[in-house]
Amino acid sequence: MRDDPGKGGFGVVADLHEQELDSVADDDALVDDDLIDDEDATDDEDDEDDDDEDDDDEDADEDDEDEDDDEDGEADLSSLEEEGEIAADYIEGLLDIADLDGDIDMDVEGDRAVVSVVGATLDELVGEDGEVLEALQELTRLAVHRRTGVRARLMLDVGGFRARRRTELAELGRSIAEEVGRTGEPRKLRAMSPFERKIIHDAVALAGLRSESEGEEPNRRVVVFPVG
């Protein structure tokens, strides 16, 4: 990585944050729940042709469809890899400006690119409860959008924070679900980011209970309900 002098540390990142996202007041407001669970809209079904088509034509059509699906899958993977590369370049630039050391890894998980920064002195890029990390992730998504013209859903992790947080929240979700199942009383959790709420929802669902998000950002929180 390049060794530029710069101002160093979190102050530089904060300056970039203010310049590029004047509207950022809270990390929870950066992402909405729909973005986490977005699915592509399905195509309308084609009308069936008359029964006078022969079997050879039908087999050929099926082969063409399979090839199209393969090409779409390759295109999607290529697009996600491109997002990861753009994001990695952007984060590397921020690290250089802030005079911070870190190694950058890129991967694709499901339908999103994942960029991870690993280093020994990166706590200031995470912040309390991941607040700084959420802001950096949004800045990175904006940088990718400016290059590709497509809204990015990439995930940014720093120092393994999200992996550790995911484990902690999954355990919390299981514990709360057990408590609600035992007492039969709903339980409201503290306000959380969309990333955190998603993990709680998944853990509660695995326990066989129901949960919902209520309230407005930045005070949106999960409520866990007993069965029935």
Side-chain angles (χ1 to χ4, degrees):
M1 186 165 54
R2 298 181 299 275
D3 294 324
D4 297 336
K7 290 191 295 185
F10 173 69
V12 174
V13 177
D15 290 344
L16 291 171
H17 182 208
E18 292 176 359
Q19 292 171 11
E20 299 195 39
L21 272 183
D22 293 334
S23 63
V24 173
D26 186 278
D27 60 295
D28 284 348
L30 296 176
V31 189
D32 59 82
D33 288 334
D34 294 336
L35 184 60
I36 298 178
D37 293 321
D38 274 350
E39 296 178 353
D40 293 333
T42 57
D43 294 332
D44 293 333
E45 295 181 357
D46 295 329
D47 293 333
E48 296 182 357
D49 295 329
D50 295 334
D51 293 335
D52 58 357
E53 292 183 348
D54 58 41
D55 292 339
D56 289 339
D57 288 339
E58 291 178 357
D59 290 341
D61 289 341
E62 291 177 0
D63 291 340
D64 289 340
E65 290 176 0
D66 291 339
E67 292 177 0
D68 290 341
D69 290 340
D70 291 340
E71 291 175 356
D72 290 342
E74 293 175 359
D76 291 342
L77 179 59
S78 177
S79 297
L80 293 176
E81 290 174 343
E82 180 186 9
E83 286 186 7
E85 291 174 357
I86 295 172
D89 289 342
Y90 180 77
I91 291 299
E92 183 177 9
L94 289 183
L95 293 177
D96 284 347
I97 293 172
D99 196 21
L100 295 172
D101 293 326
D103 296 324
I104 301 176
D105 294 330
M106 295 176 293
D107 198 2
V108 173
E109 295 181 2
D111 60 350
R112 74 172 69 209
V114 179
V115 177
S116 302
V117 185
V118 181
T121 59
L122 297 175
D123 289 346
E124 58 192 340
L125 295 184
V126 175
E128 184 177 358
D129 291 331
E131 293 178 353
V132 177
L133 175 57
E134 292 292 340
L136 286 175
Q137 176 174 274
E138 182 64 11
L139 286 173
T140 306
R141 287 177 171 179
L142 288 174
V144 173
H145 179 268
R146 287 172 180 169
R147 288 279 300 276
T148 66
V150 178
R151 188 179 187 185
R153 301 181 63 247
L154 69 89
M155 180 75 74
L156 175 65
D157 195 8
V158 173
F161 172 82
R162 291 194 189 278
R164 294 192 301 273
R165 190 63 175 149
R166 182 179 285 106
T167 299
E168 295 170 357
L169 289 170
E171 179 57 35
L172 174 63
R174 288 190 292 268
S175 176
I176 295 297
E178 180 180 345
E179 176 186 335
V180 171
R182 184 178 65 254
T183 64
E185 297 292 331
R187 176 71 184 275
K188 181 181 294 187
L189 281 65
R190 66 171 180 81
M192 294 182 178
S193 71
F195 166 76
E196 294 172 323
R197 295 196 301 267
K198 178 64 164 58
I199 298 171
I200 295 293
H201 287 311
D202 290 345
V204 171
L206 284 174
L209 272 65
R210 180 174 63 88
S211 61
E212 296 178 358
S213 292
E214 68 174 29
E216 301 295 333
E217 303 291 4
N219 298 312
R220 193 163 173 79
R221 62 192 67 219
V222 175
V223 182
V224 181
F225 299 92
V227 176

